[in-house]
Amino acid sequence: MKKLFTGLIILLASAGFAHQPFWNPGSPTLEQAYKVLEPGVSKVVTSQLNAGQLGFYVLELSAGFVLDLGLFVGAACPPAFQPRMWLVGPGFQGNARPPFPTPEGMEARVFSGGWRDYRGHGLVARKGPEFRERLSGGTYYVVVEAGNAAGYYMISLGGSEVPGGTPEGRAALGRFNRCS
């Protein structure tokens, strides 16, 4: 009984220091972008894309904010599911023309490749593109582009560890791990 109690305490304590989990049911256009609230708080947003689909996220950042962003896919998803991650915003030099319209005055950078196995924080995944940079502030968009395969993915934002998230977000972690 003592071992069970100790295990429960460790589990509950570690849950308080994990990213806040959220579920994005779909955000297929810039106008329907999933609003990421409190971008300075550590969180993961899980979603699903079919081949050829896009997932849009919007963040309002203060000047000098360091955006720490990563892209993960479920390890059980097809190996061909290697989405690209785009960052769209003001104040930086773009490196590619995106397959979606961008707001006037904003540039786009694409991040792809680098996929490797990842095990941690209860995830069985592949970790892909990452971005960490101090930004000038304003409205920024993160766009996940599925490519030619489908699967579950999550964007991860580093930041302060604050308990929270939603029941839908916690339930999505199991679907992410199974890719179903």
Side-chain angles (χ1 to χ4, degrees):
M1 183 66 145
K2 185 176 179 180
K3 287 183 183 180
L4 177 63
F5 181 74
T6 303
L8 184 58
I9 294 296
I10 291 170
L11 178 65
L12 291 173
S14 66
F17 295 106
H19 291 346
Q20 293 182 354
F22 293 93
W23 168 248
N24 173 6
S27 50
T29 67
L30 196 69
E31 296 76 27
Q32 297 171 307
Y34 181 95
K35 187 166 181 72
V36 178
L37 302 175
E38 300 180 295
V41 173
S42 179
K43 62 188 67 181
V44 294
V45 183
T46 304
S47 193
Q48 180 182 21
L49 290 173
N50 290 319
Q53 285 186 321
L54 301 167
F56 289 83
Y57 299 81
V58 62
L59 302 94
E60 296 294 333
L61 305 178
S62 58
F65 184 86
V66 176
L67 182 60
D68 184 359
L69 184 64
L71 181 62
F72 294 78
V73 299
C77 292
F81 184 55
Q82 296 184 14
R84 298 193 309 172
M85 179 172 66
W86 294 84
L87 183 62
V88 178
F92 63 82
Q93 184 69 34
N95 67 357
R97 185 179 180 126
F100 52 86
T102 59
E104 188 163 333
M106 292 193 175
E107 295 284 330
R109 280 196 213 165
V110 65
F111 303 88
S112 60
W115 294 98
R116 59 201 178 279
D117 289 342
Y118 177 87
R119 305 280 187 273
H121 298 95
L123 297 180
V124 179
R126 293 188 310 271
K127 186 175 185 179
E130 299 175 272
F131 174 85
R132 182 174 166 77
E133 188 173 313
R134 185 172 308 279
L135 298 173
S136 61
T139 301
Y140 289 82
Y141 295 91
V142 176
V143 184
V144 180
E145 178 187 4
N148 295 324
Y152 278 82
Y153 72 93
M154 66 175 50
I155 61 167
S156 170
L157 283 88
S160 301
E161 296 290 348
V162 177
T166 63
E168 295 85 4
R170 285 185 279 287
L173 295 175
R175 294 191 306 271
F176 173 88
N177 281 335
R178 293 186 310 274
C179 200
S180 64

